[in-house]
Amino acid sequence: MVLELYLDLLSQPCRAVYLFAKKNGIPFEFKDVTLFKDSILGSKAPGSSGAEAASAQTGPQEKLTLSKKVPFLKDGTFVLTEGIAILLYLTRKYCTPDHWYPADIEKRSKVDEYLFWHQGNMRADAPKTMWIKVLIPLFTGEPLPAGKLQEVMEGLASALKQMEDLFLGNRPFLAGHEISVADLVAVAELMQPVGVGCNVFEGHPRLAEWRVRVEMAVGRELFLQAHETVLKVREMSGLHIDPRLKAQLAPALKKIME
């Protein structure tokens, strides 16, 4: 059976998975999921009532609907969530070139080190830029929280400095001299604030040069294709949002706006 990847390229982990699969020629069926519209992540399937959809969902499909998150991998009867877990699964199953996730224990551990750090640091603030500048106004119709963007950018600046000094240093890539999955995870994350007009590479020349190297290693055409949606995210101001989705996200939005 063909590998299925459920992705929304507005999502950072989805873009990392997409870039990796495409760059390595991994055959997959691209299941395009739009998080902010009725979709497989919502409460109903196209053309079905909620009750009909609920009764029809079994196995991997049911797990996808319950998880309500992407990326989501379906490989026959095997299903997997979490972007990093999916990336590592793909490296192992398809025996991709060693530099992506090295067999050498020390090199692999450096990739792991960045991936673990990323989750608690870079992801703490980078995604909030899109919520504050685009999604919160879209969902609530209210102006930006006073000073919230500055607070987020200050936290992000600290993470960027650590990334530049602790991980990149004078190396061409985050975990060594060749591109790895760590670089894909990182660059996809940093393109999120770029998409809403926050130039996180300004004042960080080593990171700016690193981004160019990653883009070249992946291929400029593929890189731009993967990031086309996020680079146009400010055009979402006229998008219709399902009222049910607004209600589901209201608690999280209130926390961000506090």
Side-chain angles (χ1 to χ4, degrees), residues 29-50:
E29 185 176 349
F30 180 20
K31 298 288 189 176
D32 192 2
V33 175
T34 303
L35 293 178
F36 301 124
K37 295 181 180 179
D38 278 343
S39 71
I40 197 165
L41 297 183
S43 59
K44 64 179 182 178
S48 301
S49 68

Side-chain angles (χ1 to χ4, degrees), residues 46-64:
S48 301
S49 68
E52 289 170 345
S55 64
Q57 291 164 357
T58 58
Q61 189 88 347
E62 182 181 22
K63 291 181 181 180
L64 174 56

Side-chain angles (χ1 to χ4, degrees), residues 6-144:
Y6 292 79
L7 308 170
D8 181 347
L9 295 184
L10 191 58
S11 154
Q12 311 92 297
C14 286
R15 293 197 300 274
V17 169
Y18 180 83
L19 284 169
F20 182 81
K22 281 288 191 179
K23 177 62 179 176
N24 285 283
I26 295 172
F28 70 95
E29 185 176 349
F30 180 20
K31 298 288 189 176
D32 192 2
V33 175
T34 303
L35 293 178
F36 301 124
K37 295 181 180 179
D38 278 343
S39 71
I40 197 165
L41 297 183
S43 59
K44 64 179 182 178
S48 301
S49 68
E52 289 170 345
S55 64
Q57 291 164 357
T58 58
Q61 189 88 347
E62 182 181 22
K63 291 181 181 180
L64 174 56
T65 304
L66 288 173
S67 73
K68 293 189 177 182
K69 64 189 298 185
V70 287
F72 189 97
L73 175 148
K74 180 175 179 290
D75 194 0
T77 59
F78 179 71
V79 297
L80 193 63
T81 61
E82 301 299 333
I84 290 175
I86 290 172
L87 283 170
L88 300 188
Y89 174 80
L90 295 177
T91 66
R92 292 160 177 151
K93 174 162 184 177
Y94 293 95
C95 300
T96 54
D98 186 72
H99 62 84
W100 289 111
Y101 195 55
D104 179 88
I105 189 170
E106 292 187 0
K107 292 180 179 179
R108 175 172 290 194
S109 294
K110 297 306 291 183
V111 175
D112 289 338
E113 181 184 28
Y114 178 80
L115 294 177
F116 280 107
W117 177 87
H118 179 93
Q119 294 300 102
N121 292 272
M122 197 59 71
R123 280 194 67 77
D125 287 302
K128 292 179 183 177
T129 57
M130 181 174 293
W131 281 100
I132 291 171
K133 295 200 70 174
V134 177
L135 298 181
I136 288 177
L138 176 65
F139 276 81
T140 67
E142 298 179 10
L144 300 176

Side-chain angles (χ1 to χ4, degrees), residues 109-253:
S109 294
K110 297 306 291 183
V111 175
D112 289 338
E113 181 184 28
Y114 178 80
L115 294 177
F116 280 107
W117 177 87
H118 179 93
Q119 294 300 102
N121 292 272
M122 197 59 71
R123 280 194 67 77
D125 287 302
K128 292 179 183 177
T129 57
M130 181 174 293
W131 281 100
I132 291 171
K133 295 200 70 174
V134 177
L135 298 181
I136 288 177
L138 176 65
F139 276 81
T140 67
E142 298 179 10
L144 300 176
K148 195 63 180 179
L149 180 61
Q150 181 179 350
E151 177 186 326
V152 167
M153 292 304 295
E154 288 173 357
L156 184 54
S158 176
L160 287 167
K161 180 170 175 53
Q162 288 186 59
M163 178 181 171
E164 192 169 40
D165 295 340
L166 181 61
F167 293 98
L168 185 61
N170 294 316
R171 296 189 296 267
F173 296 101
L174 290 175
H177 295 285
E178 294 182 276
I179 191 171
S180 72
V181 294
D183 297 285
L184 294 187
V185 169
V187 80
E189 195 75 59
L190 292 183
M191 291 302 290
Q192 206 80 347
V194 169
V196 295
C198 299
N199 186 1
V200 294
F201 296 103
E202 186 176 3
H204 297 278
R206 281 181 290 160
L207 286 181
E209 293 169 0
W210 161 82
R211 173 194 163 177
V212 172
R213 285 193 291 271
V214 173
E215 189 173 321
M216 292 177 62
V218 169
R220 180 171 174 76
E221 183 177 353
L222 174 58
F223 187 89
L224 293 178
Q225 178 193 0
H227 291 93
E228 181 179 8
T229 301
V230 75
L231 292 175
K232 294 180 178 179
V233 71
R234 283 177 283 184
E235 299 174 7
M236 289 179 63
S237 58
L239 182 67
H240 172 71
I241 305 297
D242 189 321
R244 295 170 301 173
L245 186 55
K246 286 187 177 182
Q248 290 173 1
L249 289 174
L253 292 176

